[in-house]
Amino acid sequence: MGHWKELLPALSDDDRRQVEIGLAEADARIRAVLHSANTYHWRHSITNVPVWAAVESWPVEERRSAALAMHLESSTSWTPTALNDVVRSLADGDLPWTRADLVWCLEVAAWDESYDNGACLELPAAIAARLAPAELADLVPALDALISELVSYYFVEAEPRRRAVKLIGEALDRATGRRVPSWLLHDGDGFGPLVRAEMSAALTAPGVPEVLTHCASLEKPAAPVKWQRRLDELLATTPDGARAVRSVLEAFTAYGRPLHDDSDRLIRGLVWALSRQPDERATDLLARVTAAAAAAPRQSSSSPHAQRTAVAAVQLLAGRGGEVPLRTLARLAVTVKNKAMLSRIQSVLTRIGAQRGWSLSEVMELAIDDHGLGLDGRLCAQVGPYEATVDVPGEKARLSFGRDGAPLKGIPAQVKQAYGDELKQLRDLVKRVNASLAAERQRVEGLLSEERTWSYADWLSRFLVHPITGTHGRRLLWETSTDGHRWTAGLPRRDSDGWTIAGRDGQAIPRDRVRLWHPARATTDEVFAWRAHVLATGLAQPFKQAFREVYLVTPAEEQTHTYSNRFAAHILRYRQANALLRARGWQAGYLGTWDGGYDSEATKLFGGGAWRASFHHQLVDNPDPHSYDVEYCSTDQVRFARRDGATWQPAPVVDVPPLVFTEAMRDVDLFVGVTSIATDPQWADRGEDRLHTYWRSTVSAALTPSAEVRRDALARLLPRTNIADRVDLSDRYLHVRGNVRSYRIHLGSGTILMEPDDAYLCIVAARDRTGRLHLPFDDDPMLSTILSKAIMLAADDTITDTTVLRQLTR
């Protein structure tokens, strides 16, 4: 710290001598007290021990000098002292502080080398709080700069930093006459300056600063009764209070970025103020604030934008009536990655479901927002002379315009110029619809691990005619039964009489109960038949279903009993693996070179929350001793546990329901198959001998279930390509005959070996070269990679990349 020191007025020699009179004697005396208390180098307050009682009876001048001495110690000492309480206790009371004392303390604080406990801030803050406004006048620029630095200075502990910012801020407000407290909405983030700039009149209205100050004083998620009573009094006597609360919260929902901790505390209090308003507009705003607070940056998905606010808002929103709270919380239960937040959301949803007689899974299902789209999946609005349409023609929503019934290309210039607000609302709607589509895709895929059935009427309304869920449900395989024992699979089809389920022969199937089809419950012939049907009809499923892998318990897993080692001992690229874990809904702590960071347990709920899978992985030490980045991790056991009330009981692998087992193992296979170093075409040239044995063994290993399904997909897709006469499939490889050489592509790792000497060929895929070839699913990037490589190698005489050519002619 210390950039603000240049703004401090100079201290005269006489003033400096006056401040430092008796400093050495006071230092020796107070050190003797600290030594006798025997807690000098420990983080324990000594101000409550008997020895300290004598200090409180010292003359005020001695206490003043002792406080200055301890301030000097806290700012210049390298020892891990925690003198916060000592300095505050010595400075307490009616001591004769002067402007010179404050300037001297600020000069000393600028030398601070402790960087942790913030003790160097205690005395300047205490003195500033006691000086008259006239004595602070020429210190305003320096104090303003100090606050600006402190609010972004994360080396200081939160409590002493907040205490110093508040006391110095209050002193500044007395000296400048500012209505809005300086310590509120400060420039520690972009949100504070934004609100101050755009809402200055509203913030300074009579009574509003007092409302903001009270809201920022809330220390816990649940507001005490006394605090709520005072809030109600302030709102009742402040005509513009409720409007200011709404305006600041509206600004927060539009901000869309992480908040400083101080701003987070303020917004949390404002959420409680909003909760006092019972109308539907307040409920809608509370829902949007909850979603905005629980949202997280893409690069740090487990760190909500405003976690304190989110925790309080979730509880308050759950107590509101109507469908908006239910839909908001259900959407967050799918999108939130923070483990603590997710637990709270699931808890309140379970409570709401119990009140309405629904399971958690059914709560999630019934709460899907249709965003105003009609049963045809469209929303039409008039924008000036144009007709705007939001619809979902495929995987994502789109916004289109027309005029007099004729479609237009792009957005008309007149709409951009004259109807900006309407255009922004429509674009925001498209974003919200796309967010719901992505969340629903993940939720519906999660149903594959559940043994759920629906009545035909419920299934129809929830999975076919719903404008969001129907986008996915209409492209999935379903099974129907009239007795609950014999099930027949089919695809949804819309006839003149409405929706029905049709088999491969096109005949409608009798229905009563409906469930989601899973290949684990089907015969091999049926699975192959549906795969052929999906390809023949050109159906693109929202996720891999007909071609889904199936994992059965092996004899080895029966012997290990409580865990599976099927995917143990692999080396993964950690950053990519961790990102994929979180994208698939697993919760995991980060690996790192700190205590407890050398191993991690990723967990995910299956079977509607009744089962939990755990995937263990460990840090692989970085070969560079000067680097602390985690490049690789090694895989270990997969374990399962059954929910038992509020606890989890470990379960033998053989007791795990087949659908839970196969879905959990599929995820782990995906992590290994996508992020293993064996799938990195450039890894072989890194020269990391300690991992080379693993790489060599894995690039040609036996196929996993995911690679087996990939082989089956290739067997069906390759005959449709123009390289069909140049390729052949064997157990593990796709063989490609080029015009220069022949090649083998491993179906698991995508590694290319050149014949006849099995020389390794490194090709980094730059783009998808599969052309217009229809793929039945899009969640296997290795399938596209292998197809792209095969198409390129079949015409190897047209390759122009010099890096590849050198390898071919080597």
Side-chain angles (χ1 to χ4, degrees), residues 323-331 349 358 362-370 466:
E323 296 300 313
V324 171
L326 192 59
R327 289 174 178 172
T328 301
L329 294 171
R331 192 181 308 120
L349 282 175
W358 301 333
E362 194 166 12
V363 170
M364 301 282 290
E365 199 164 272
L366 293 169
I368 306 306
D369 195 349
D370 61 15
H466 194 284

Side-chain angles (χ1 to χ4, degrees), residues 514-529:
V514 183
R515 70 183 185 186
L516 194 57
W517 182 87
H518 197 297
R521 290 189 294 230
T523 65
T524 302
D525 290 342
E526 183 185 4
V527 172
F528 286 166

Side-chain angles (χ1 to χ4, degrees), residues 553-565 652-654:
V553 176
T554 64
E557 287 161 340
E558 291 176 353
Q559 290 182 356
T560 55
H561 189 58
T562 58
Y563 60 89
S564 168
N565 267 335
V653 175
V654 294

